[in-house]
Amino acid sequence: MSDNLPSNSEITRRDFLRTGTLLLAASNLMESKAARAADDAPLLRVGLVTDLHYADKETAGTRHYRETLDKLAEAGEQFEKDKTDFIVELGDLIDAADSVETEQRWLKRINREFSGIAKDRHYVLGNHCVDTLKKTEFLEGVEQKTSYYSFDRAGWHFILLDSCYRADGEPYGRGNSSWDDANIPEAELEWLRDDLKQANGRTIVFAHQRLDGTDRHCVKNAAAIRTVLEESRRVVAVFQGHSHQNDYKSIVGMHYCTLAAMVEGSGAESNGYSRLDVFADGRLLVKGFRRQKGYEWM
């Protein structure tokens, strides 16, 4: 063997070092990709539905009441696949009935389906929820203690509001209200101020009647509510329903997202629901399904 040729031991050692270097580089690349994936994973995933208007009655105009059951089932399958942490229903879970007994029967039917989707779920009161029923009756039916409250998840603060009050301060119930006379009374507004002062971290608000304008679908004292939200410097976004349409406004840097109603239109293609991904850096991603639009906000 020539003295210039490497020995077998040298070749083996060199190949080992080369292989080790390649394996180390591959390992570092995998760790880097895993770290990036972890950084990009949401802190929370929230399922959102609104204006289901479930009722066992004939279609009226564009509202297909009975089809809500199938539409909700589809949304439930998607939320299970996405492993959502909790679900918020933004009001009008049921439509108005001609008797308390009928309304309670409809509520029991739709809530059986909804409660089967998620244990951690939250109900915003809509005007139709408390048209025939009183608030206490609706809340008992869905096993929720209060109509407005807040809670924390993963360092974020979440608030549910109740705008189902007449201008004179009387709560909706037993057919005493009008869909375009929505108000938040001073007692609730004061609670909101105090809650935001004590909140830790960024905040998201859920409402039924809209807070982003002055038309008939908006809360009459929406401007006063927006002032409280803005002064807190904590609120990032407001999600709302009631007008049954996709809509979006940015007011003083806050996102006001109106979601499409599930009850509108016939067939699976007319369904509408969404998933909200909440990220550690404050980014919000709204993944819309069917008729629901999607958004991404930094």
Side-chain angles (χ1 to χ4, degrees), residues 23-89:
L23 288 172
L24 180 60
S27 176
N28 289 339
L29 179 60
M30 291 175 65
E31 289 180 2
S32 177
K33 288 182 176 180
R36 287 199 301 271
D39 288 342
D40 200 43
L43 289 174
L44 289 169
R45 280 192 157 170
V46 183
L48 298 174
V49 296
T50 192
D51 292 274
L52 284 69
H53 286 265
Y54 172 69
D56 185 12
K57 62 182 180 181
E58 295 299 319
T59 297
T62 58
R63 299 184 182 186
H64 296 257
Y65 305 106
R66 293 189 178 113
E67 291 190 27
T68 284
L69 293 174
D70 289 336
K71 291 177 180 179
L72 180 60
E74 178 191 303
E77 290 176 2
Q78 185 66 50
F79 294 154
E80 182 179 8
K81 177 182 176 182
D82 292 341
K83 295 180 171 58
T84 53
D85 295 284
F86 62 90
I87 299 176
V88 180
E89 184 274 314

Side-chain angles (χ1 to χ4, degrees), residues 22 45 90 92 97 101 116 118 124 138 140 147 151-152 179 198 230 234 260 272:
L22 291 173
R45 280 192 157 170
L90 293 171
D92 284 356
E101 293 73 22
V124 177
F138 179 86
E140 287 171 2
S147 61
F151 60 96
D152 296 309
W179 68 268
Q198 299 175 38
E230 292 159 10
R234 294 186 181 278

Side-chain angles (χ1 to χ4, degrees), residues 71 109 116 136 156 160 176 181-182 199 208 210 258 275 295:
K71 291 177 180 179
R109 179 71 175 91
T136 53
W156 282 68
L160 274 73
N176 71 343
D181 182 20
H208 179 64
R210 296 178 60 161
T258 306
R275 186 193 75 222
Y295 306 92

Side-chain angles (χ1 to χ4, degrees), residues 152-173:
D152 296 309
R153 296 285 188 278
W156 282 68
H157 191 63
F158 298 92
I159 296 175
L160 274 73
L161 293 178
D162 174 11
S163 305
C164 292
Y165 293 88
R166 302 186 322 198
D168 62 4
E170 284 296 309
Y172 288 9

Side-chain angles (χ1 to χ4, degrees), residues 284-298:
L284 298 178
L285 175 66
V286 179
K287 169 65 176 176
F289 297 94
R290 300 294 191 178
R291 290 188 304 106
Q292 179 56 52
K293 290 183 178 179
Y295 306 92
E296 184 171 10
W297 306 316
M298 299 302 293

